[in-house]
Amino acid sequence: MTALDALEPDDLDGHSIDELADYLDAGMQPPDPTIDGSPACQNALAAILRVRHASLGSLEAAARDEAPADESWIGGVLANISLESRSGRDVPLRPQSESERPVMTEGAIRSLIRRTGDSVPGVLVARCQLDGDVTELGSPIRVVVEVAVVSGPSVVATADLVRTGVAQALAEQTDLLVDAIDVVVRDLLEPQPETDSTPEEER
């Protein structure tokens, strides 16, 4: 894991990305209630796992080629995870009654966007942001998703899949008035070499 000493522990309820990575490496044992009970830490842990599973060879090579380490591409991705996982502003939902004031946090929405983008094959979300007044129900919001995509002829189509998936997820799980979703391809990743599998290896 790339060193990320520049990250501020306050971003994740007193923890840093390095601490969360170490927690994952230890199999999340012994249990740490300050991590297990923190929604921000749980969002960040899930994002770290997706980073590790997404074309790690290419990401590690990119990190080695850039210096210093905390300014590398992968360092930037993990730094953004730390910042975006914070609770942020309260985003209102449509109430079912006059006495209700339901909300979800901005951090939860950013994690939803990141999780949706990461679920598209060949995509790793580098950064996402919500432009506009998310605290005002019905205020138009512009969503910006910066991604890395495995290089190939289908980059545009892959970006469209991210845009469609994010739009659907936000429509289903939030009450945001999404005016636009911009998907920006910031980096191209080299495809992972395919490995041969034998019937004996398959379970």
Side-chain angles (χ1 to χ4, degrees):
M1 181 68 67
T2 304
L4 296 170
D5 296 334
L7 294 182
E8 298 181 3
D10 290 345
D11 292 337
L12 294 167
D13 293 333
H15 295 281
S16 69
I17 285 287
D18 277 335
E19 290 172 345
L20 297 184
D22 290 342
Y23 190 52
L24 283 175
D25 290 340
M28 295 187 286
Q29 295 295 327
D32 186 334
T34 66
I35 294 177
D36 297 339
S38 164
C41 287
Q42 292 303 304
N43 286 335
L45 286 170
I48 293 170
L49 282 173
R50 292 195 299 272
V51 170
R52 289 183 171 184
H53 289 308
S55 193
L56 284 179
S58 295
L59 295 177
E60 290 171 356
R64 286 195 303 270
D65 291 342
E66 299 179 18
D70 62 357
E71 293 181 3
S72 69
W73 188 89
I74 184 60
V77 172
L78 294 174
N80 287 331
I81 289 171
S82 174
L83 295 172
E84 292 168 9
S85 295
R86 292 182 298 178
S87 295
R89 297 170 287 181
D90 283 341
V91 182
L93 302 172
R94 298 191 186 281
Q96 300 298 313
S97 68
E98 292 185 2
S99 61
E100 289 184 344
R101 294 181 60 85
V103 298
M104 66 188 303
T105 65
E106 188 177 10
I109 293 175
R110 288 192 298 255
S111 293
L112 170 65
I113 294 169
R114 180 177 289 275
R115 183 170 67 250
T116 302
D118 287 344
S119 70
V120 176
V123 170
L124 184 67
V125 174
R127 183 171 179 263
C128 59
Q129 65 185 65
L130 304 172
D131 291 339
D133 187 4
V134 297
T135 66
E136 183 68 28
L137 190 63
S139 180
I141 303 298
R142 176 171 168 261
V143 180
V144 181
V145 189
E146 298 181 11
V147 299
V149 177
V150 172
S151 59
S154 60
V155 169
V156 173
T158 299
D160 286 340
L161 288 175
V162 174
R163 184 180 296 104
T164 300
V166 169
Q168 181 176 347
L170 292 176
E172 291 176 349
Q173 301 191 44
T174 78
D175 288 319
L176 290 174
L177 176 59
V178 179
D179 189 52
I181 299 176
D182 296 336
V183 178
V184 183
V185 178
R186 291 296 189 193
D187 296 272
L188 294 178
L189 304 176
E190 292 299 321
Q192 283 186 298
E194 294 183 2
T195 56
D196 294 331
S197 62
T198 61
E200 290 75 16
E201 293 173 336
E202 297 174 353
R203 292 284 187 266

